[in-house]
Amino acid sequence: MILRSSPASPFGRKVKIALAVLGLKDKVEVVVADTNDAADVLRQQNPLGKIPVLVLDDGKSIFDSRVIVEYLDQLAGGGKMIPAGPARIDVLVQHALADGLMDAALLQVLEGRWRAEDRREAKWLAYQAEKIQRVLKVWALGYLDLRFEGKWRADHPKMVKWLDAFAAQNPSFEETRFKG
Ligand SMILES: N[C@@H](CCC(=O)N[C@@H](CS)C(=O)NCC(=O)O)C(=O)O
């Protein structure tokens, strides 16, 4: 299988960590994708032109990251990352919360990338930032370290502790950190 992603993608990183946790790392070759390059085959693999995409050996594409994690979990026997039974919905809600946080962070990054400084909408940026603040009351993630200089850490010592413990238990967290 091929994973189309980029080193800085938080959604791609999630899939890479899932691969490591599920013991499937060796089954996947990571091929870097450039979402801005119209010539990249990515747009044929996923008409949305988004990463990550998992391309199976028969050529079938699986996206988005939530579906990829679901697929990988099934491949590993099922119920390893996303349990069956009553806990399933709770885990999926946490997963949706994680993705929503990354979406809100990414939208702020994209505003900076696509809009000239005098055309940026402060109200829109604040609207997205407030989502992150609300989620941070519950927990936080590495993408905020990468793009927002770890500013969340000062106000959320409990989450720093949680993330340190998660990183200690899962070497793939550090291995997949974007170091560019
Ligand atoms: N819901 C998607 C979000 C993926 C996403 O937003 N990926 C970003 C990179 S981190 C992307 O491909 N952006 C390019 C674009 O939106 O055109 C997922 O979970 O995979």
Side-chain angles (χ1 to χ4, degrees):
M1 296 181 284
I2 291 173
L3 178 68
R4 301 302 315 276
S5 189
S6 79
S9 167
F11 298 97
R13 184 181 185 186
K14 176 179 73 183
V15 169
K16 288 172 190 165
I17 292 173
L19 284 166
V21 169
L22 294 168
L24 295 171
K25 234 165 101 173
D26 296 346
K27 299 210 179 303
V28 172
E29 180 196 351
V30 180
V31 177
V32 172
D34 181 352
T35 55
N36 292 314
D37 180 1
D40 190 315
V41 71
L42 172 72
R43 293 178 190 188
Q44 286 148 49
Q45 293 166 330
N46 176 0
L48 299 170
K50 291 190 178 199
I51 51 172
V53 179
L54 186 68
V55 185
L56 305 187
D57 293 344
D58 66 3
K60 180 173 164 174
S61 289
I62 297 184
F63 50 86
D64 61 2
S65 65
R66 241 183 287 181
V67 183
I68 297 174
V69 170
E70 180 84 45
Y71 174 80
L72 293 174
D73 194 45
Q74 284 175 22
L75 197 63
K80 301 248 160 68
M81 294 194 87
I82 305 170
R88 181 176 178 82
I89 294 298
D90 288 345
V91 168
L92 290 176
V93 168
Q94 291 299 312
H95 197 164
L97 204 54
D99 282 358
L101 181 148
M102 293 192 287
D103 280 334
L106 193 61
L107 283 171
Q108 291 178 72
V109 172
L110 293 179
E111 178 85 1
R113 260 188 215 155
W114 285 84
R115 291 228 161 91
E117 208 158 344
D118 59 335
R119 295 194 56 229
R120 285 181 204 152
E121 181 51 68
K123 254 170 34 187
W124 166 250
L125 290 170
Y127 183 68
Q128 299 304 328
E130 281 161 19
K131 289 181 196 290
I132 293 179
Q133 288 315 313
R134 290 196 298 272
V135 178
L136 278 175
K137 296 217 164 91
V138 196
W139 45 255
L141 275 184
Y143 188 61
L144 300 177
D145 281 335
L146 173 63
R147 296 297 187 210
F148 299 88
E149 298 147 17
K151 283 182 191 146
W152 64 274
R153 287 174 174 264
D155 294 331
H156 302 280
K158 270 194 194 156
M159 282 315 308
V160 173
K161 252 179 131 171
W162 180 89
L163 190 58
D164 285 350
F166 177 84
Q169 271 169 20
N170 295 280
S172 57
F173 186 73
E174 176 56 26
E175 282 161 25
T176 55
R177 189 167 61 78
F178 178 56
K179 289 145 190 133

